[in-house]
Amino acid sequence: MKKILTMLLMLAFASCNAQHNNMRTQECGGYRSNNQNTKPLENVKGELTYLFCTFYDGYSSEDPDFVEYEIRLNDTTFSGSISPSESGYDPYKFNVKKDARTTQALSKALKESGLLQFNGWNVHVNGLPPTTDFYISATFSTGEKFFMEFNGGRMPVGFTDASKVFNDAVIKAADFAPEKCEKSKPYVNPYHGEHHFNYSKDGKQQSFTFIVTPQGGEENAEVISKGDYGYLHARCNAHNVSGRYFVSILGYYDDSQITKPTRNSLAGILDHINGKITLEPLQAAPDLPDRSKLKKD
């Protein structure tokens, strides 16, 4: 799986560069930042008081146990998540109380890794697919601040070896092991199924039933609307548009009393916000005076 991912990333990267005829000054939208002048931190005596670091290593040939991590060390906690290299597993998440041992271990690793020599390195190209991406911001008790960032493998020479030392300390401090990651649950489309909504205002009511099926083909939804604003029973097409489901009318069942909305008219728009399904009622009730979103029953 990882080899397939690597090949796809390489193809995407090659395609991206080809679009600009290999021009180094403008790649995939251009540089957001291109500062390769470093200000090495030397002889740092203090320990970390703050640390935030993200690392994506989907391009490594060494096949490490992780593919991505995000960690944060602040005044009280050491927290974050580590994604295993094997697909099909959820990230390992941790949130533990900050202690002297963890702080000392991370501080020592950061100082001894050699990463501090790259302080100030900031090379980010917009639009590149993730390959090897790194961001770190840290503050020491003696006042020094450390920062570096790059994406798309735009690391300085020597970064790979230096990062291994720090990564090992991160994995140990977080007590990470691939076997601690749980298998990912199969994705369940929240829009699939039968959804009921009710409109009630000014003494009038209308009920809506939107049924979306996982089957392919154009006709994959059914809409029933009944109440004080008439009865509609339509064959529909439900399609995903930027995370919402737009339900378009294809035709009508014989019992439908409302048939005036034309083909491809939107019966309604289903949205999924904070785990809740909502409906923006449109041509499912053409005479409805209020199109405000309705919450699922």
Side-chain angles (χ1 to χ4, degrees), residues 189 191 238-246:
N189 191 322
Y191 295 106
H239 51 284
N240 190 328
V241 179
S242 299
R244 297 187 297 167
Y245 261 52
F246 283 56

Side-chain angles (χ1 to χ4, degrees), residues 86-91 178-186:
E86 186 174 354
S87 61
Y89 289 84
D90 290 335
E179 55 269 22
K180 292 185 177 182
C181 298
E182 297 182 358
K183 281 193 173 182
S184 302
K185 295 179 180 179

Side-chain angles (χ1 to χ4, degrees), residues 11-220:
L11 289 172
F13 179 76
S15 174
C16 184
N17 282 339
Q19 291 176 9
H20 295 283
N21 299 318
N22 293 322
M23 292 178 63
R24 294 183 180 180
T25 57
Q26 185 178 7
E27 301 178 56
C28 292
Y31 285 101
R32 186 186 78 192
S33 54
N34 188 19
N35 176 31
Q36 301 183 33
N37 296 317
T38 59
K39 298 179 181 179
L41 293 181
E42 299 176 349
N43 301 317
V44 177
K45 303 299 182 182
E47 293 186 348
L48 287 167
T49 58
Y50 172 79
L51 169 68
F52 178 70
C53 181
T54 64
F55 187 28
Y56 182 84
D57 192 27
Y59 202 56
S60 173
S61 60
E62 306 230 344
D63 198 23
D65 288 337
F66 74 93
V67 69
E68 182 178 14
Y69 70 69
E70 177 177 309
I71 61 169
R72 185 186 299 272
L73 179 75
N74 57 30
D75 292 339
T76 58
T77 60
F78 176 52
S79 60
S81 65
I82 303 175
S83 298
S85 57
E86 186 174 354
S87 61
Y89 289 84
D90 290 335
Y92 167 78
K93 296 182 179 180
F94 60 96
N95 190 331
V96 297
K97 185 177 179 180
K98 176 185 176 182
D99 58 23
R101 181 179 180 181
T102 298
T103 302
Q104 290 169 2
L106 292 173
S107 300
K108 183 173 183 291
L110 185 56
K111 287 187 283 187
E112 294 183 354
S113 66
L115 287 174
L116 296 185
Q117 67 179 304
F118 306 126
N119 182 44
W121 183 276
N122 188 1
V123 183
H124 189 109
V125 184
N126 293 325
L128 288 183
T131 53
T132 303
D133 302 351
F134 186 71
Y135 174 96
I136 188 169
S137 176
T139 302
F140 291 92
S141 58
T142 42
E144 296 92 344
K145 293 183 182 295
F146 171 56
F147 167 79
M148 70 173 297
E149 177 188 21
F150 66 82
N151 76 325
R154 263 59 177 180
M155 74 279 280
V157 175
F159 169 83
T160 300
D161 290 337
S163 66
K164 289 177 183 177
V165 176
F166 183 64
N167 291 341
D168 288 345
V170 169
I171 298 304
K172 186 175 181 179
D175 195 26
F176 167 77
E179 55 269 22
K180 292 185 177 182
C181 298
E182 297 182 358
K183 281 193 173 182
S184 302
K185 295 179 180 179
Y187 173 72
V188 177
N189 191 322
Y191 295 106
H192 289 167
E194 188 169 318
H195 311 287
H196 299 275
F197 309 87
N198 276 292
Y199 170 91
S200 180
K201 192 173 183 180
D202 298 329
K204 293 188 176 182
Q205 296 185 349
Q206 191 78 6
S207 67
F208 300 93
T209 300
F210 277 64
I211 304 170
V212 181
T213 66
Q215 68 187 35
E218 186 179 25
E219 186 178 324
N220 61 356

Side-chain angles (χ1 to χ4, degrees), residues 255-292:
D255 62 340
S256 184
Q257 297 172 1
I258 298 175
T259 59
K260 65 180 182 180
T262 60
R263 180 182 173 88
N264 294 325
S265 297
L266 280 177
I269 301 175
L270 297 171
D271 203 352
H272 185 251
I273 303 174
N274 297 325
K276 303 292 183 182
I277 298 288
T278 63
L279 167 68
E280 183 179 344
L282 300 173
Q283 295 302 307
D287 298 327
L288 198 73
D290 186 357
R291 306 296 178 183
S292 300

